[in-house]
Amino acid sequence: MSKTSFSRALTAALLGLALTTAARADTKDYEFQLVKDEAKQGEAILDVRLVDKRTSKPVPNAVIFAKRIDMAPDSMEEMTSKIEQLPSPEPGLYRFKAKLTMAGGWRLSLGAKVQGETGTVENKLVFKATK
C-alpha cells in the first residue's frame, strides 16, 4: 500500500469513526413533555410525548417501566394515586389514566428505555388538576 493510499484510508476510517460517534445519542437527548398542563380532578387521561430534543421529533416504541403520580408540588409527596398506561393513540404519544383525587399540583414521574439507547430516560412532569 502506498503512503498516499494509507493516508486516505486512515482519513476515511477516522471520519467514519467520528460520524458514528456523533450519531450516538445520550438519554439526556430525550425528554417527556405533557401535551396539556391541566387536567380535570377525578378520572383523568394524561397524554405525554417523548421527544428527541436534537430533532424535536416524537420517539415511538419506548418501554415505560416506571410511573408514579403524586402531589409533591403541593408538598404532599405521600399523596399518591393509581396510574395505568393505556394504548398509544399515535407514535411517540404515551397515554395514562389516573385518578386525581384532589385539585392542585400533581407530579407525573416516568422512566423509560428508548430502543437502541443505553440508560434510562427519566422525567418529572408537573401539572395542575382543576375542579
Side-chain angles (χ1 to χ4, degrees):
M1 182 182 270
S2 73
K3 189 174 183 180
T4 304
S5 296
F6 178 76
S7 177
R8 285 184 185 151
L10 181 60
T11 301
L14 290 173
L15 180 61
L17 179 63
L19 290 174
T20 56
T21 303
R24 189 172 277 156
D26 186 274
T27 55
K28 292 180 175 86
D29 292 328
Y30 301 96
E31 73 177 355
F32 285 103
Q33 301 171 344
L34 285 166
V35 172
K36 295 180 182 177
D37 60 358
E38 282 191 2
K40 289 282 187 192
Q41 179 183 342
E43 291 290 329
I45 300 295
L46 306 170
D47 286 333
V48 178
R49 288 194 194 291
L50 179 56
V51 176
D52 183 330
K53 294 190 290 187
R54 298 165 300 161
T55 63
S56 298
K57 291 186 178 180
V59 179
N61 304 320
V63 177
I64 309 238
F65 65 89
K67 52 194 174 293
R68 174 185 162 96
I69 193 161
D70 60 48
M71 290 193 77
D74 284 352
S75 300
M76 293 186 280
E77 190 169 353
E78 68 283 350
M79 176 71 92
T80 62
S81 188
K82 290 183 179 181
I83 184 164
E84 172 188 349
Q85 188 170 350
L86 300 174
S88 177
E90 64 184 68
L93 187 71
Y94 300 87
R95 181 167 279 175
F96 302 92
K97 180 171 74 171
K99 185 167 184 162
L100 306 177
T101 53
M102 294 176 63
W106 286 83
R107 177 178 68 183
L108 174 61
S109 302
L110 297 172
K113 295 286 186 185
V114 174
Q115 291 187 6
E117 302 294 344
T118 58
T120 300
V121 177
E122 296 178 299
N123 286 121
K124 296 179 187 299
L125 307 169
V126 175
F127 66 97
K128 189 163 276 305
T130 59
K131 289 186 179 190

